[in-house]
Amino acid sequence: MNSPREDLLRPSLSGGDSPVSAPYSMQTTFLTGFFGGPFAAIAIFAINSFRLRRISRDLPVGIGMLLVVLLGMWVLHRTAPGGAALAWLEASLGSRSIRFVHQMAGLLIVGAAYLLHRREQRNSDLLGLKRPNGWVAGIACILLGTALSIVCLAALRM
Amino acid sequence: MDSTTPEQVMQQVQALLERRRTTQARVLLQAALATNPQHTGLLMQAAWTDYLDDRGDEALATVKQVLASQPHHESARLLYFELLVKAERYVEAEPVIIELLRDYPEHAPYYGRYASLMLHALKLPKARQLAQEGLKSDPDDTDCLGAITICDFIEQRDRDTSGALQRLLAYHPQSAQTLVLVAVALQQRGDLKEARHVSQELVRAQPDNTPLVEMAHQLKLSTHWSMVPMWPMQRFGWVGSIVIWLIALFGLRIAANASPALGAVSTVVFLVYVVYSWTWPAILKKLMPM
């Protein structure tokens, strides 16, 4: 039986597992979710999961987020209570109501993603680890997220 | 003719390196190595000098030269590990520190250095376990206590439940690492002014330490009077940004419903604040260079 010390002296960074990479910064994640909405936020969360080598842990959460977003969209656009909520928002915020829901949903996903990856984010910040440039991934996720939102909305309104 | 022995030169260089006077150390080493080019001690001090001056390639070449003739040289192996970590070659660095720990199993600092590597590789649980293992050999080792303190910061154990930072303050109050961690702790608690004072003391003691100077400069910028409106974001991070956005969204609507003029003024104020928050920190950094 291995002693605890022997377990500690077993290499963690070589072998089958490729090294973990620092995730995209919270600034990238936040702006992606804010401008791209919930699908964009889920996309950047998935990319961070891949970089952190925790796909198997985060996959159920990611699928759950997707289902919640789709269910939420269906409730808002195809049920009476959802319609009433949208009407109230439109009365409060005018033409910005849909955009507000889009941004809030994105930020809620960003918040959930932060809760899951907060240790890795804080670790990266404290150690000053080099973060990947967020422009390409952020813009790609925003475009993807926006496209998916448009497609889903169009499908729900048919 | 200079009759200074290599050992005497090494003593002088060691004293200079402890004060980070690498330029003077380099002069002494160059003269000594001219007459003793294969002296291991001088070569290692030259490599450490290059390491402190961020000349990684030169340091690596010298270390490899030493390890080629003396593969079990402890200081060379340690510096080789440090150079690999600095170059972010974590996969290659890990077996080096593991072998050092196998050869020196009671040497607590090596557990601390391995813990630091695990922190760089985002392996937080193993970092904590390694540091705690090192403390079994030396309960006051700075590297292990420092690693545990950083683990506490990452897990936001604000009340310092592990006691690591307290031990550092009690047993190593003048250590630069302790003071850096105190500055970080103060920052985390939102006490930026105190963190700035601590960082300025650190810079006075080590004016050539670039990361320290950068930290002190960043704190100086953060506590500038023109950054006061940024307080919600500084204190609460992205949650603060979201709250401000929500307040603005509904507040502007309420203001517009109350009076078009009030709505217009509120909108302008909010837009000015947004532009300020996005641009002023970068402008201030250019106005107040390091």
Side-chain angles (χ1 to χ4, degrees):
Chain A
M1 191 174 71
N2 286 339
S3 68
R5 185 178 171 276
E6 269 307 307
D7 289 337
L8 283 177
L9 297 186
R10 192 171 301 124
S12 301
L13 305 180
S14 54
D17 296 329
S18 40
V20 168
S21 308
Y24 285 96
S25 67
M26 275 314 298
Q27 180 171 5
T28 297
T29 310
F30 176 87
L31 293 173
T32 302
F34 184 79
F35 289 110
F39 293 114
I42 293 172
I44 197 88
F45 165 70
I47 294 173
N48 274 345
S49 283
F50 176 75
R51 290 183 65 85
L52 294 171
R53 302 291 182 263
R54 33 179 302 164
I55 296 258
S56 56
R57 262 190 288 170
D58 291 343
L59 185 61
V61 178
I63 292 173
M65 285 176 179
L66 197 56
L67 291 174
V68 166
V69 169
L70 291 171
L71 180 65
M73 291 177 83
W74 183 83
V75 166
L76 275 177
H77 292 278
R78 295 293 277 255
T79 66
L86 272 179
W88 176 82
L89 273 172
E90 198 159 333
S92 304
L93 299 173
S95 57
R96 283 177 291 184
S97 58
I98 294 292
R99 186 174 167 76
F100 168 76
V101 173
H102 195 244
Q103 287 171 331
M104 264 316 293
L107 291 178
L108 286 172
I109 302 283
V110 166
Y114 176 72
L115 283 175
L116 284 166
H117 295 164
R118 65 187 183 284
R119 289 193 181 85
E120 289 88 348
Q121 290 284 356
R122 290 175 59 80
N123 191 347
S124 301
D125 284 338
L126 273 170
L127 273 290
L129 300 182
K130 202 187 315 179
R131 305 292 203 127
N133 188 310
W135 280 105
V136 173
I139 290 173
C141 289
I142 288 170
L143 291 174
L144 172 69
T146 305
L148 284 173
S149 295
I150 292 171
V151 165
C152 287
L153 275 175
L156 284 167
R157 284 172 177 171
M158 277 196 302
Chain B
M1 189 168 73
D2 186 2
S3 59
T4 312
T5 66
E7 287 69 29
Q8 287 171 321
V9 171
M10 284 173 60
Q11 277 186 348
Q12 293 170 39
V13 167
Q14 186 60 32
L16 289 169
L17 290 182
E18 283 168 7
R19 291 165 184 76
R20 288 198 170 238
R21 293 187 182 165
T22 54
T23 307
Q24 291 164 278
R26 199 178 293 284
V27 169
L28 287 177
L29 283 167
Q30 275 174 353
L33 280 167
T35 49
N36 298 279
Q38 298 302 321
H39 192 279
T40 304
L42 292 172
L43 284 170
M44 280 311 305
Q45 284 193 324
W48 279 107
T49 306
D50 283 332
Y51 170 74
L52 291 172
D53 277 345
D54 286 330
R55 295 187 187 186
D57 292 339
E58 289 93 331
L60 198 58
T62 308
V63 160
K64 283 184 174 177
Q65 180 185 341
V66 171
L67 287 172
S69 58
Q70 298 183 49
H72 298 292
H73 193 283
E74 185 184 350
S75 181
R77 291 158 73 188
L78 177 62
L79 181 54
Y80 184 49
F81 166 77
E82 299 292 356
L83 287 165
L84 290 172
V85 172
K86 204 166 189 179
E88 298 178 16
R89 291 159 63 176
Y90 303 142
V91 177
E92 294 170 68
E94 190 180 27
V96 178
I97 195 69
I98 287 175
E99 288 308 310
L100 274 168
L101 277 166
R102 289 199 190 286
D103 292 342
Y104 305 96
E106 305 298 321
H107 196 61
Y110 290 161
Y111 285 98
R113 300 311 301 140
Y114 193 5
S116 174
L117 171 64
M118 288 295 101
L119 285 171
H120 280 84
L122 299 175
K123 303 243 180 231
L124 181 61
K126 185 166 179 177
R128 185 183 285 279
Q129 288 169 350
L130 282 164
Q132 285 169 340
E133 185 68 26
L135 290 177
K136 291 178 186 173
S137 304
D138 180 358
D140 300 325
D141 178 70
T142 51
D143 286 314
C144 294
L145 288 172
I148 289 179
T149 303
I150 291 173
C151 291
D152 288 341
F153 287 156
I154 290 168
E155 293 180 320
Q156 288 188 291
R157 295 188 184 187
D158 287 337
R159 302 230 174 129
D160 191 28
T161 51
S162 72
L165 185 55
Q166 287 171 342
R167 290 189 74 81
L168 278 172
L169 285 166
Y171 295 103
H172 308 283
Q174 299 302 319
S175 155
Q177 180 186 245
T178 302
L179 292 174
V180 167
L181 291 171
V182 167
V184 172
L186 289 166
Q187 265 187 288
Q188 293 212 329
R189 288 171 194 176
D191 201 343
L192 297 183
K193 285 190 178 162
E194 277 308 310
R196 190 189 78 197
H197 288 144
V198 172
S199 68
Q200 284 171 340
E201 287 300 319
L202 282 165
V203 170
R204 281 192 198 101
Q206 296 186 35
D208 298 328
N209 191 321
T210 307
L212 276 179
V213 170
E214 285 175 354
M215 182 177 83
H217 182 63
Q218 188 53 49
L219 284 165
K220 187 178 172 185
L221 294 175
S222 298
T223 52
H224 193 264
W225 64 265
S226 66
M227 294 287 280
V228 168
M230 296 287 290
W231 180 83
M233 276 78 81
Q234 285 178 336
R235 185 67 185 89
F236 302 108
W238 296 107
V239 173
S241 302
I242 293 169
V243 169
I244 286 177
W245 170 69
L246 284 171
I247 290 172
L249 197 63
F250 288 97
L252 288 176
R253 191 76 188 168
I254 293 169
N257 287 342
S259 148
L262 183 60
V265 169
S266 304
T267 302
V268 169
V269 168
F270 178 64
L271 284 173
V272 167
Y273 182 74
V274 169
V275 171
Y276 156 85
S277 67
W278 276 67
T279 59
W280 183 245
I283 294 172
L284 188 64
K285 201 170 182 178
K286 289 215 180 322
L287 291 175
M288 294 174 61
M290 276 198 293

